[in-house]
Amino acid sequence: MKSHTEYLVFNTSRRREIRNITPELERVLEKSGVREGLMLVNPMHITASVYVNDAEGGLYQDILELLEKLAPGGRPYHHHQTGEDNGDAHLKRQLLGQQVVLAVTQGRLDFGPWEQVHYAEFDGQRKKRVIVKIIGE
Amino acid sequence: MKSHTEYLVFNTSRRREIRNITPELERVLEKSGVREGLMLVNPMHITASVYVNDAEGGLYQDILELLEKLAPGGRPYHHHQTGEDNGDAHLKRQLLGQQVVLAVTQGRLDFGPWEQVHYAEFDGQRKKRVIVKIIGE
Amino acid sequence: MKSHTEYLVFNTSRRREIRNITPELERVLEKSGVREGLMLVNPMHITASVYVNDAEGGLYQDILELLEKLAPGGRPYHHHQTGEDNGDAHLKRQLLGQQVVLAVTQGRLDFGPWEQVHYAEFDGQRKKRVIVKIIGE
């Protein structure tokens, strides 16, 4: 069994932002040399999501607007009694999905025609890490 | 390490539909010969979910009604500027859950008493694939 | 390839409760002897979630309040025609997230500074199991 671990770093220019990270993941997979296995992609900070969906700008807006409707910012969340102001970011990341596991087949991400992996940041403008862990052979 | 990959194909008769796919997964597991490991079950299209919950028709309705309330169809989503009309389907799949990873123990899906795996289609009436990837030994 | 499986049992004093289970997972990992691999943590009952977020009491309240707003209890869910009264619990667990997969690196859970794993119970006051399955080497 082979395993390979890398840490991607993102620092978004806006507080809330969605970014297609599929090219970075393909580079990590190539370096790993794994042909058959699983890849975990997990944000190491708890105010961000990794999810798979269409790489389309209108959909990014729809996702951000849906999450703002369901878990709006600027509200007096209990979490703010700690001095934080990002309660909505912790909640949004749960609703969108925390992480993904991807299939690796014949050395490639085994995707359908429109599957692309995204990093969704809800409290950015600072360095955040995403772990990529591949196991297989 | 063993790995085994199969692609299930679904073509639902209704646009939105939930279907218990546990029997198909058990057949794939048996063919794989894996006794201890993990099984990833991931829809390869981004307007469908794979999730684990009770195989009960009333709950299927509750799930569809909840998702319709949270991310209703027939709205002018930004995504529709591309010519698509399925913005709600992309959003519903995120809220319900994209994919699952299942434990394989002693050659069986290691489930609690009511756990059943479902395919939830939000933009069906055409062929869609689900990848099943098992790694283990 | 090594694999290791354990079943944690929880019996919450309240019907809805969130509990940090990271220490239990660290003990399971140590017993497993796995240095590099993946750990699946999955509730075996379908009215509970396992998720990763901040171990902060105010946030627990925010999460429970958000889920109560989105999928309230005490409503006439279709699922209740079976005699059950926990329709909301089945729905809440989907919105929060069903399960997590964790990276194991150099014998430790490979976490960011605030990542902690939680068990969220939505229909407790009885024994419930969570499977922990580690594969790696």
Side-chain angles (χ1 to χ4, degrees):
Chain A
M1 205 201 81
K2 265 186 195 172
S3 74
H4 182 86
T5 310
E6 291 203 25
Y7 308 90
L8 307 175
V9 179
F10 300 106
N11 190 343
T12 59
S13 56
R14 280 165 293 168
R15 188 163 189 192
R16 296 178 189 133
E17 192 171 318
I18 293 176
R19 177 179 169 160
N20 185 351
I21 61 170
T22 316
E24 282 95 329
L25 299 178
E26 286 168 341
R27 278 196 290 274
V28 173
L29 177 56
E30 202 179 333
K31 272 210 275 181
S32 76
V34 171
R35 302 279 305 164
E36 296 290 328
L38 298 178
M39 176 194 280
L40 169 67
V41 190
N42 181 58
M44 300 181 80
H45 298 259
I46 52 194
T47 48
S49 292
V50 170
Y51 75 93
V52 171
N53 213 315
D54 201 354
E56 196 277 304
L59 183 62
Y60 297 169
Q61 275 184 271
D62 291 325
I63 287 173
L64 293 174
E65 289 178 12
L66 172 71
L67 295 174
E68 190 61 29
K69 185 183 77 174
L70 300 182
R75 297 286 171 90
Y77 289 107
H78 299 290
H79 183 53
H80 296 174
Q81 291 167 22
T82 63
E84 295 281 353
D85 69 345
N86 60 3
D88 68 303
H90 289 275
L91 299 175
K92 284 172 167 125
R93 96 83 166 229
Q94 292 304 135
L95 294 175
L96 184 56
Q98 308 173 69
Q99 59 172 209
V100 293
V101 176
L102 310 174
V104 175
T105 306
Q106 298 181 339
R108 306 197 55 172
L109 293 175
D110 198 344
F111 275 157
W114 302 101
E115 282 185 287
Q116 295 280 300
V117 190
H118 296 84
Y119 176 72
E121 175 63 78
F122 302 114
D123 187 21
Q125 297 170 320
R126 49 194 171 120
K127 275 192 196 170
K128 301 274 205 89
R129 290 193 303 159
V130 170
I131 185 171
V132 184
K133 182 123 200 165
I134 307 169
I135 68 170
E137 61 181 10
Chain B
M1 204 200 81
K2 265 186 195 172
S3 75
H4 182 85
T5 309
E6 290 203 25
Y7 307 89
L8 307 175
V9 179
F10 300 105
N11 190 341
T12 59
S13 57
R14 280 164 294 168
R15 189 165 189 191
R16 295 178 191 134
E17 192 171 318
I18 292 177
R19 176 178 171 162
N20 185 351
I21 62 171
T22 316
E24 283 94 330
L25 299 179
E26 286 168 340
R27 278 196 290 274
V28 174
L29 177 55
E30 202 180 333
K31 271 209 277 181
S32 76
V34 171
R35 303 277 305 163
E36 296 291 329
L38 297 177
M39 176 194 278
L40 170 68
V41 190
N42 182 59
M44 300 180 80
H45 298 259
I46 52 194
T47 49
S49 292
V50 170
Y51 75 95
V52 171
N53 213 315
D54 201 356
E56 197 277 304
L59 183 63
Y60 296 168
Q61 274 184 273
D62 291 324
I63 287 172
L64 293 174
E65 288 178 13
L66 172 71
L67 295 173
E68 190 60 28
K69 185 183 77 172
L70 300 181
R75 296 287 170 88
Y77 289 108
H78 299 289
H79 183 54
H80 297 175
Q81 291 167 21
T82 63
E84 295 282 353
D85 69 347
N86 61 2
D88 67 304
H90 288 275
L91 299 175
K92 285 172 166 124
R93 96 90 165 218
Q94 292 304 135
L95 294 175
L96 184 56
Q98 306 172 72
Q99 58 174 209
V100 292
V101 175
L102 310 174
V104 175
T105 306
Q106 297 182 338
R108 307 197 57 172
L109 294 175
D110 198 343
F111 274 157
W114 302 101
E115 282 185 286
Q116 296 280 300
V117 190
H118 295 85
Y119 176 73
E121 175 63 80
F122 302 114
D123 188 22
Q125 297 170 320
R126 50 196 170 117
K127 275 192 196 169
K128 302 274 204 89
R129 290 192 304 158
V130 170
I131 185 171
V132 184
K133 183 124 199 163
I134 306 168
I135 67 169
E137 61 182 8
Chain C
M1 203 201 83
K2 267 186 193 171
S3 74
H4 182 85
T5 310
E6 290 203 25
Y7 307 90
L8 307 175
V9 178
F10 300 106
N11 191 341
T12 59
S13 56
R14 281 164 293 167
R15 188 164 190 192
R16 294 176 191 136
E17 192 170 320
I18 293 177
R19 176 179 171 160
N20 185 351
I21 62 170
T22 316
E24 283 95 329
L25 300 178
E26 286 169 340
R27 278 196 288 275
V28 173
L29 177 55
E30 201 180 333
K31 272 209 276 182
S32 77
V34 170
R35 302 279 306 164
E36 296 291 328
L38 297 177
M39 176 195 279
L40 169 68
V41 190
N42 180 58
M44 300 180 80
H45 298 260
I46 52 193
T47 49
S49 291
V50 170
Y51 75 94
V52 172
N53 213 315
D54 202 354
E56 197 277 303
L59 184 63
Y60 297 169
Q61 272 184 274
D62 291 325
I63 288 172
L64 293 174
E65 288 178 14
L66 173 71
L67 295 173
E68 189 60 29
K69 185 183 77 172
L70 299 181
R75 296 288 171 87
Y77 288 107
H78 298 292
H79 183 53
H80 296 175
Q81 291 167 22
T82 62
E84 295 281 354
D85 69 346
N86 60 3
D88 68 304
H90 289 276
L91 299 175
K92 285 171 166 124
R93 95 95 165 213
Q94 292 305 135
L95 294 175
L96 184 56
Q98 308 173 68
Q99 59 173 208
V100 293
V101 175
L102 310 174
V104 176
T105 305
Q106 297 181 339
R108 307 197 56 172
L109 293 175
D110 198 344
F111 275 157
W114 302 102
E115 283 185 286
Q116 295 279 302
V117 190
H118 295 85
Y119 177 71
E121 175 64 78
F122 302 115
D123 188 22
Q125 298 170 320
R126 51 196 171 117
K127 276 191 195 169
K128 302 274 204 89
R129 290 192 304 159
V130 170
I131 185 171
V132 184
K133 182 124 200 163
I134 306 169
I135 67 170
E137 62 182 7

